[in-house]
Amino acid sequence: MLVERESAIAQFSLCVDKLTNTSGHIALISGEAGIGKTTFLEQAKQLFGSYATFYWSGCDPLLTPRPFGPVHDIAAELSTPLLAMLEKGASTSSIYSAFYQALESSSEPNILIFEDVHWADHATLDLFKFLARRIAFVKCMLVISYRDDEVGETHPFRTVLDVLPSSHTSRISIAPLTVEGIAQLAQNSQHDSATLLKVTAGNPFYITELLAVNNTDINHIPASVKEAITFRLKQLPHGERTFLETICLVPNAISPSLLQALCGVDGETNATACAARNLLTVDDAGSYRFRHELARLGTITSLTVSQQKRLHQRIVEALELSQGVDALALLIHHSSAALDAQRVLKYAPVAAKDAAKNGAHREAAAYLNTALYFVSSASTELAAQLYEQWAYEAGLTMHIDDQVIAARQQAITLWRTLGRLEKVGENMRYLSRLHWYRGEATEAENLANESIKIIESVPITSGRIMAYSFRAQLDMLNDRMQAAIDWGNRALLLEAQFPNHEIRIHALNNLGSAKVLRGDETGEALLYESLSLAIEHGFHEHAARVYTNFSDYCIRYKKLDLAETLIAAGIAFDTSFDLDSWTFYLIGMQAQLRVEQGRLEDAQTISQGVLALDKLTLLMKLPALSALAKAQLRLGTIDVSQRISQVLENAYATDELQYIIPARFCAIEAAWLQDEPNVALTHLTWLSQLDACYLDHWRAGELIVWIKRFGFDLKSKFSCDLPAPYQLELCGKYLDAAEVWMSLGIPYHSALSLMQVQQPQAQEALPRAYQILDAIGAKAGLTKVREKAKGYELVEYLPSVRRGPYRRTRQHPAGLTAKEQEVLRYLSTGSSNKEIASALSRSQRTVENHVASILTKLNVSNRMEAMLRIQNEPWLSLRDSPKQDTF
């Protein structure tokens, strides 16, 4: 009997209406264990089964959940290609695409139920994120049930909840029963409803179990469900009770083959009898499972530890006999519980390899961690493999703590014992990378050098080539460009003899980046080649790295048009492949580009959007934070000094000059605007003492010009040819420098050059500087111009001070017009062109033109990609930036 679920059913009905009338939808079904989520969904299937095709799956409480576990439940019904990809261990992105294509190609609406997602593996959670971002484009309702009391702030499922589109998501909470609802359930018993409510807190499972006991004596009402289940078990025939105690340790459905192997000829008989008593359920495939998870857990508590261990061993042997497909996760789960070291060591590495192949690196690490509990029973070689493999998988998915470092070190020790020097060198390279991620530059350097020394003592392998390429990357990141070029060339020379696509892509990126960041434009061709190969061979993260490095170079070297093209293409690429860690870093660089272009409020809008996102690392936020500090400095925002201090602190936390140098230049500019020469002197002195190899000619020019502007007597080590605008300013040709800056599309620096002009040309230059700064809203600079004009008694020549906020250079970060922004807001909800035309009272042709323009400006090819951009960058759908306090 379904009691007091009318409201929830009505909510579910609205979700079905949205599915059948418009586009896809997500329904979150939440509630505590035993509250009746499964019963509710079964009723929903009965009510709405004629409107849509239902697909039912669930997650299991395994020690380590199987990657894409619930997807396997429905793959055969949903899509033959998807099933084939799962069975052959295809890449994660391929599985995502196959799943989405199956939904997209369906002409009828589908309802996909995923139960108990609080137990889901990380690959499935990532699939939910992928589907959530695209749900508006398929006739599918994604129904996710979970225990809300088990999903805390750090639970992995939270990462899914954070990205669900609000316009396509409904939340249905299954509430406890009231005393009236309990009375309906207990109407044929002698139980008191108020007492039941007090004992059970309205939990239907507790109530059902207590009613099944059929004992109305208040003194004999079990104090807990454990006692209720134990009492009920004792009332069963011996065969059925023994059967339930045998299968209760299996945390998921028991297939017919496993049932036969585990329980013999009596298994089916006892299973049928227990199903008739509503203790078990049976699905269409003939698999049995406990009707309530709490009943299964309660049954386990009736067993002693030694009984459980013996039963786990029986289950392992039965699993091997049944030859069930994809039983690795279960085999490891039960072998571990049975303390069967040899079986764990046999199965866990295989499962980890399969999981990693699917992109489920957290599960891979978990399998290997289970194996490491039994590492004392492993051979030396296997132990070394387990330590290095766990360190790799854990390093991808968790904080790189001392335990990860220690595992690599242990692997090195064991490989050295075996005399496997090529493995020693390989593990030292990985260890170097780990220390670099932790900001331990000296240790990373030493290990990288030692890795190469060792690996050069053995015959050439791909490991030696990658060691050279990694050495190039390490030097490039630390602004040792010539060394990076040398190592990159060595790597490519060897790769030509031993071809390897990934190594070539990696080396080309490092070599090309090192070249262009020292002004050698031949490196651009290498970056283009690296990008092309990465895309062709499906190395998505390598492609994202090229977009990032190439864009950084273009901004540094003032190639703003090329930067605009690359950043737009890179953001679209990263978004389409859900590369969030790269996406928001690159969006932060887009904000830096807007600062250079004088689009200060656009830069502020974009930066604030990135910084408002949850769970981004310091490194992912740093480009946006740097852009925001510089934009707000120029806009004249209150308390910008605190923001600049934060940028400096975070830059130093990375221990990389690529972040520290621009942070110091920002502080120098702030000191100039705020008349704090002593602060500037500290930073300029530090920069002047750097070796010449650490500053490209643009940064060297910026340093020398700032020294001159402050009038400091600092000697410079930099003798390279400086860029034209800096060279002209140093020669006193301020007006010419200003013109060059304007030709580069950098108005703010043009104004700074004009502000250096002295009499008699100041009468012409200062009003021009004022007009430029006024046009871009750089209020702090206007104050500085007025001070200069006052000193020359030229204030009367400046334009009148305007009242009210400054006019914005752009109305939207992506350059959308006001009408396009209106269309975008409707497009972001999944509305069709016809619906948008009706809502805005425009012709459909007009809306089509606006949509085409929006897609072009967002650098996307279709509406779905536009929606992905909006979901990643919610500020794109906001017409106005938040107002800021200014001086």
Side-chain angles (χ1 to χ4, degrees), residues 731-742:
C731 294
K733 298 179 180 180
Y734 305 112
L735 296 176
D736 293 339
E739 291 300 322
V740 174
W741 283 120
M742 290 301 286

Side-chain angles (χ1 to χ4, degrees), residues 557-561 596-597 698 723-725 737-747:
Y557 279 73
K558 317 307 178 189
K559 297 188 173 188
L560 303 193
D561 289 342
E596 292 290 284
Q597 294 168 328
W698 280 97
E739 291 300 322
V740 174
W741 283 120
M742 290 301 286
S743 70
L744 293 171
I746 307 176

Side-chain angles (χ1 to χ4, degrees), residues 223-274:
S224 67
V225 173
K226 171 187 171 182
E227 294 174 359
I229 294 170
T230 302
F231 192 93
R232 193 173 185 188
L233 282 172
K234 289 179 179 178
Q235 293 179 320
L236 296 175
H238 175 75
E240 293 176 28
R241 183 174 70 250
T242 302
F243 170 75
L244 290 175
E245 290 173 344
T246 301
I247 69 169
C248 70
L249 292 173
V250 180
N252 58 353
I254 302 174
S255 66
S257 60
L258 177 57
L259 187 65
Q260 171 68 26
L262 183 60
C263 301
V265 294
D266 294 332
E268 182 67 26
T269 301
N270 286 319
T272 303
C274 290

Side-chain angles (χ1 to χ4, degrees), residues 614-763:
D614 293 331
K615 300 182 176 70
L616 296 187
T617 65
L618 179 149
L619 200 62
M620 291 163 66
K621 289 185 174 184
L622 193 50
L625 181 63
S626 301
L628 182 60
K630 190 168 285 189
Q632 291 187 332
L633 171 64
R634 295 175 184 180
L635 286 167
T637 303
I638 292 174
D639 294 332
V640 74
S641 296
Q642 184 176 357
R643 182 84 67 189
I644 293 171
S645 296
Q646 183 184 5
V647 172
L648 282 166
E649 179 182 346
N650 289 355
Y652 269 101
T654 69
D655 198 30
E656 291 188 19
L657 291 176
Q658 62 172 318
Y659 302 112
I660 296 171
I661 290 171
R664 284 186 174 270
F665 276 125
C666 184
I668 290 166
E669 182 182 330
W672 184 74
L673 288 170
Q674 297 165 6
D675 294 321
E676 297 176 337
N678 291 335
V679 173
L681 181 59
T682 299
H683 293 293
L684 289 168
T685 301
W686 187 90
L687 290 167
S688 298
Q689 292 172 349
L690 286 174
D691 288 341
C693 66
Y694 290 127
L695 292 185
D696 59 66
H697 66 293
W698 280 97
R699 286 179 172 172
E702 187 173 5
L703 170 63
I704 297 169
V705 162
W706 276 121
I707 291 172
K708 180 182 178 183
R709 287 172 182 171
F710 278 99
F712 294 142
D713 184 20
L714 290 175
K715 302 300 181 183
S716 172
K717 305 175 184 177
F718 307 99
S719 58
C720 59
D721 292 333
L722 300 180
Y726 288 131
Q727 192 66 55
L728 289 168
E729 181 168 331
L730 290 171
C731 294
K733 298 179 180 180
Y734 305 112
L735 296 176
D736 293 339
E739 291 300 322
V740 174
W741 283 120
M742 290 301 286
S743 70
L744 293 171
I746 307 176
Y748 183 79
H749 285 293
S750 179
L752 292 190
S753 291
L754 288 170
M755 291 168 65
Q756 311 310 311
V757 175
Q758 300 179 12
Q759 287 285 40
Q761 292 178 310
Q763 184 174 331

Side-chain angles (χ1 to χ4, degrees), residues 132-346:
R133 289 168 165 166
R134 295 159 177 81
I135 197 68
F137 298 96
V138 290
K139 282 195 131 184
C140 167
M141 187 159 87
L142 184 62
V143 181
I144 297 173
S145 78
Y146 66 100
R147 297 179 186 173
D148 50 358
D149 57 341
E150 293 189 19
V151 179
E153 287 301 318
T154 60
H155 194 284
F157 182 51
R158 281 286 171 191
T159 63
V160 177
L161 296 176
D162 289 342
V163 301
L164 296 182
S166 58
S167 58
H168 294 278
T169 304
S170 297
R171 298 172 183 266
I172 303 174
S173 178
I174 308 300
L177 299 180
T178 66
V179 69
E180 290 80 12
I182 295 173
Q184 292 183 56
L185 290 178
Q187 58 185 343
N188 295 322
S189 75
Q190 300 300 313
H191 282 281
D192 176 67
S193 300
T195 302
L196 285 174
L197 178 62
K198 181 179 179 180
V199 172
T200 66
N203 185 293
F205 170 69
Y206 295 174
I207 296 165
T208 302
E209 291 301 314
L210 292 173
L211 290 175
V213 172
N214 198 27
N215 190 327
T216 59
D217 187 344
I218 186 64
N219 296 318
H220 289 87
I221 293 178
S224 67
V225 173
K226 171 187 171 182
E227 294 174 359
I229 294 170
T230 302
F231 192 93
R232 193 173 185 188
L233 282 172
K234 289 179 179 178
Q235 293 179 320
L236 296 175
H238 175 75
E240 293 176 28
R241 183 174 70 250
T242 302
F243 170 75
L244 290 175
E245 290 173 344
T246 301
I247 69 169
C248 70
L249 292 173
V250 180
N252 58 353
I254 302 174
S255 66
S257 60
L258 177 57
L259 187 65
Q260 171 68 26
L262 183 60
C263 301
V265 294
D266 294 332
E268 182 67 26
T269 301
N270 286 319
T272 303
C274 290
R277 297 179 187 276
N278 282 329
L279 294 170
L280 300 180
T281 62
V282 59
D283 60 23
D284 294 338
S287 296
Y288 289 88
R289 71 164 67 230
F290 278 79
R291 177 170 292 276
H292 297 292
E293 175 65 11
L294 290 180
R296 186 182 75 83
L297 296 175
T299 305
I300 292 175
T301 62
S302 67
L303 302 172
T304 66
V305 173
S306 60
Q307 285 176 315
Q308 291 181 40
K309 180 182 175 183
R310 286 196 298 273
L311 285 172
H312 278 297
Q313 192 68 52
R314 278 185 57 192
I315 294 169
V316 170
E317 294 166 359
L319 283 167
E320 292 177 332
L321 285 174
S322 67
Q323 297 181 337
V325 295
D326 303 317
L328 278 176
L330 278 173
L331 282 166
I332 296 165
H333 176 85
H334 294 292
S335 297
S336 178
L339 302 180
D340 187 336
Q342 293 308 312
R343 280 189 169 95
V344 172
L345 293 171
K346 174 183 177 181

